[in-house]
Amino acid sequence: MTYPPDTRGPGARADRLLCPVEDATNFIAALFVFALMCLGIAQIVMRTLFDMPLTGYVDLVELSMAGMAFLGAAYTQRMGAHIRMELLLGALTGRKYWAAEIIGAAVGMAIIAVLIWYTGAHFWRSYQLGDTTIDAEYPVWPSKLAVPVAFSIWFLRLSIQFAGAIRMFIDPTRTPIGVATIKDVAETAREEADAATEER
C-alpha cells in the first residue's frame, strides 16, 4: 500500500504500528464481555435447574472487570469516542482548535502517567504477596496487570495524538495523522452507511 507523501513520517508509522495493538486489546475486552455473558447464563441455569451454582462466579466477575473497563480505552481514544467537550471544541478552528487538542492530550498524558505508576505498583504488590480472591482463591495479579498495560497503550495513543496535534498546529493545511477530528452529523451518518454497505 502506498501512502501520500504527507502521511509517511514517523507519526504515521507509529500510528499504523499501534492500531493493530489497540484493535487486539479492544477485541480482548469484547471477549471478556461475551465470556461474562455466557458465564452469567450458565450460573442462572445451574442455580435454577440443578441447584448447583458455579463455584467462584462472583470472583470471576470481579476479575473480568479490569479487562472490560480498560483494555478498550486506547481504541476508544483513537476513535475519538471518549467524552469530549465538543460543544466548545466545535467552535474552534485552525490553530486554536489544535492548541486545545495539544492541551487536552498533554493533560491526559500526565494523568495516565500517574495512573500507570500507581497501578503498576499495585499489581507488583499483589504479585509479590500472592493475592487471591476470597471465595475461590483465584490469583488476582493477572487482572491487576491488565490495568497498567491498558494505560500504557492509552499513553502511547495520547502521545501520538499529542505529536499529531503539534504537527497540525504548526501547519493546519496538512493531512491529520493520529488525531481524532470532530465529525458533523452528516459525515457520521455517511460513514455508518458506508460501513453497513461494506458488510453486505
Side-chain angles (χ1 to χ4, degrees), residues 69-71 73-74 111-117 119-120 145-158:
F70 298 111
L71 287 177
I111 294 171
I112 296 301
V114 173
L115 291 174
I116 291 171
W117 176 264
T119 57
L145 175 61
V147 181
V149 168
F151 280 152
S152 297
I153 299 170
W154 194 358
F155 182 86
L156 292 176
R157 170 52 55 188
L158 284 168

Side-chain angles (χ1 to χ4, degrees), residues 63-139:
L63 292 176
S64 66
M65 289 297 176
M68 289 190 297
F70 298 111
L71 287 177
Y75 175 87
T76 306
Q77 182 72 38
R78 186 180 91 205
M79 295 291 109
H82 283 298
I83 296 173
R84 290 157 50 96
M85 293 295 293
E86 292 193 353
L87 184 64
L88 174 62
L89 292 174
L92 302 176
T93 57
R95 285 192 169 89
K96 291 180 180 179
Y97 171 79
W98 294 114
E101 289 288 343
I102 291 170
I103 295 170
V107 171
M109 288 169 63
I111 294 171
I112 296 301
V114 173
L115 291 174
I116 291 171
W117 176 264
Y118 283 104
T119 57
H122 196 47
F123 147 72
W124 187 243
R125 183 169 56 252
S126 174
Y127 178 77
Q128 287 183 314
L129 295 174
D131 195 10
T132 62
T133 58
I134 295 174
D135 185 15
E137 296 188 350
Y138 295 130

